[in-house]
Amino acid sequence: MHEPLFQPLDLGAIRAPNRILMAPLTRGRSGQDGVPNEMVATYYRQRAGAGLIISEATGISREGLGWPSAPGIWTDEQVAGWKNVTKAVHDAGGRIMLQMWHMGRLVHPDFLGGDAPVSASATKAPDHAHTYEGRKDYEPARALTVEEIARVVGDYRQAAVNAREAGFDGVQLHGANGYLVDQFLRDSTNKRTDEYGGSAENRTRFLREVLTALVDVWGADRVAVRLSPNGETQGCDDSDPAATFGAATRVIEEFGLAFLELREPGPDGTFGATEVPKQSPMIREIFSGPLVLNSDYTPEEAAADVASGKCDAVAFGRPYISNPDLDRRIAAGADLAENVNVPQSWYLPGAEGYVDYPTLEEQEAA
């Protein structure tokens, strides 16, 4: 039944032995310095059976990171911490790609010494931010100047260099979920009248410049992108998703990247996504490389979509929290373990609900 998921797949230069990918999952275990610790290394090592691990979203700079105890990749200490993680994954026979994150207007001033966050335009996100002092309303962002945009692109480039030093197999640009790249792409958050705003093509300029920097460091065959063409996400929306994400996909196709991942949740998905027409069929026609889909898949649905050609692989998120050996469980046709202490254990510090889920073998032995 699940045989389509167990065919090897070339994701650019990365040879995935199966089509069960681990989606990026923010877990908040790296401490206030953003340095991945030994527990983080254990967590990823346990999940090395994935065709490819896409790491949790990782801040490219102090300016871009606004989530408590999420990891970064801009300091020597953070790079050293990630080296331990990638070594643990590689020693277990796995592959791991770094997801590069700039949160833009979703960074609360508490993380910035009181300074305002930055975005494509001067807008304010709805709802609240998670800070070390609890939930707080988001604050208005200021628009990046053209000169500052060049500096942010440089931050992405340096983070890509750091990711190579840390031993990753490639990088994925986080262009989804209402974060900075998404804020430039969508017209509800991009009100600019210069070369970075206006038409859908202009709004892809920032995406293009960042990808140029990443490809210059890594080569196109080790760079990927994640998009979320799925309606409103954290207050970020677009009046014509087909035009916007069609233009973005054409940019990605020009680069010939390793793969494109799409997050297309239903109405009950995280980040407040709404039920809207899915853009993946249109994107599939434009992008000729491997297409990875994500969100709320069962193993049976994933196998069917891979078999039909709707996608080439599926990235599983929450199932990987409680099933460190998800690929083996699917291969065996075993029941999947349920998440416990949810959602408290998703983000709170400590080993509970993080590295204490047993494998199928350990479960049966017990």
Side-chain angles (χ1 to χ4, degrees), residues 10-354:
D10 288 326
L11 297 168
I14 301 171
R15 179 73 164 176
N18 62 62
R19 301 182 183 219
I20 301 167
L21 275 54
M22 180 175 166
L25 291 160
T26 294
R27 303 302 310 276
R29 259 64 174 200
S30 293
Q32 294 193 29
D33 56 5
V35 177
N37 51 43
E38 287 298 328
M39 187 167 60
V40 176
T42 297
Y43 169 77
Y44 283 109
R45 176 185 54 75
Q46 290 173 340
R47 289 153 180 81
L52 172 66
I53 294 171
I54 306 170
S55 83
E56 63 203 277
T58 300
I60 64 162
S61 64
R62 174 67 280 167
E63 172 193 80
L65 184 58
W67 190 275
S69 296
I73 191 72
W74 71 86
T75 72
D76 291 343
E77 293 77 15
Q78 292 164 352
V79 171
W82 276 121
K83 277 185 179 179
N84 291 334
V85 175
T86 60
K87 182 179 186 303
V89 171
H90 291 150
D91 286 350
R95 299 135 299 277
I96 183 168
M97 178 176 270
L98 178 80
Q99 189 186 64
M100 309 181 73
W101 200 22
H102 192 305
M103 295 173 65
R105 70 177 190 166
L106 296 170
V107 179
H108 192 274
D110 279 8
F111 293 92
L112 304 172
D115 291 341
V118 300
S119 185
S121 300
T123 61
K124 179 183 176 182
D127 301 322
H128 57 261
H130 295 274
T131 78
Y132 288 109
E133 298 177 359
R135 295 183 176 187
K136 295 187 178 183
D137 289 344
Y138 285 111
E139 298 290 341
R142 64 175 183 83
L144 287 161
T145 66
V146 171
E147 292 75 20
E148 287 177 316
I149 290 173
R151 188 261 302 159
V152 174
V153 172
D155 291 342
Y156 273 105
R157 178 187 293 272
Q158 185 58 52
V161 171
N162 293 349
R164 284 190 68 110
E165 172 66 19
F168 284 95
D169 297 299
V171 293
Q172 183 191 62
L173 175 62
H174 197 340
N177 299 354
Y179 298 117
L180 185 63
V181 174
D182 216 11
Q183 291 162 29
F184 270 89
L185 286 176
R186 304 207 209 194
D187 59 16
S188 76
T189 45
N190 186 339
K191 307 294 186 182
R192 303 178 73 98
T193 57
D194 61 7
E195 63 267 38
Y196 292 92
S199 68
E201 287 70 24
N202 276 8
R203 285 182 274 117
T204 66
R205 185 181 298 270
F206 180 65
L207 169 69
R208 182 186 295 276
E209 291 181 355
V210 174
L211 286 177
T212 298
L214 302 187
V215 168
D216 185 53
V217 173
W218 276 95
D221 59 358
R222 291 188 182 272
V223 175
V225 178
R226 175 182 248 219
L227 298 176
S228 53
N230 54 280
E232 185 272 327
T233 307
Q234 301 199 90
C236 190
D237 206 353
D238 194 84
S239 62
D240 190 349
T244 294
F245 289 100
T249 305
R250 281 186 283 275
V251 170
I252 294 165
E253 171 68 9
E254 287 176 30
F255 281 96
L257 299 185
F259 65 92
L260 171 59
E261 182 194 8
L262 302 180
R263 187 176 182 280
E264 290 194 318
D268 298 323
T270 17
F271 303 111
T274 52
E275 187 66 58
V276 295
K278 295 188 183 300
Q279 303 298 327
S280 53
M282 174 270 293
I283 288 171
R284 183 68 153 163
E285 293 183 4
I286 298 171
F287 182 65
S288 59
L291 184 67
V292 179
L293 295 184
N294 162 255
S295 203
D296 306 320
Y297 267 94
T298 65
E300 292 72 28
E301 291 166 341
D305 278 1
V306 169
S308 72
K310 183 178 179 180
C311 62
D312 297 290
V314 169
F316 289 87
R318 275 172 272 183
Y320 255 119
I321 293 176
S322 53
N323 298 273
D325 57 341
L326 181 65
D327 60 305
R328 293 184 182 180
R329 286 177 181 262
I330 292 175
D335 292 336
L336 301 188
E338 296 293 327
N339 293 317
V340 297
N341 194 24
V342 173
Q344 294 89 341
S345 66
W346 288 354
Y347 306 126
L348 294 182
E352 186 178 1
Y354 187 57

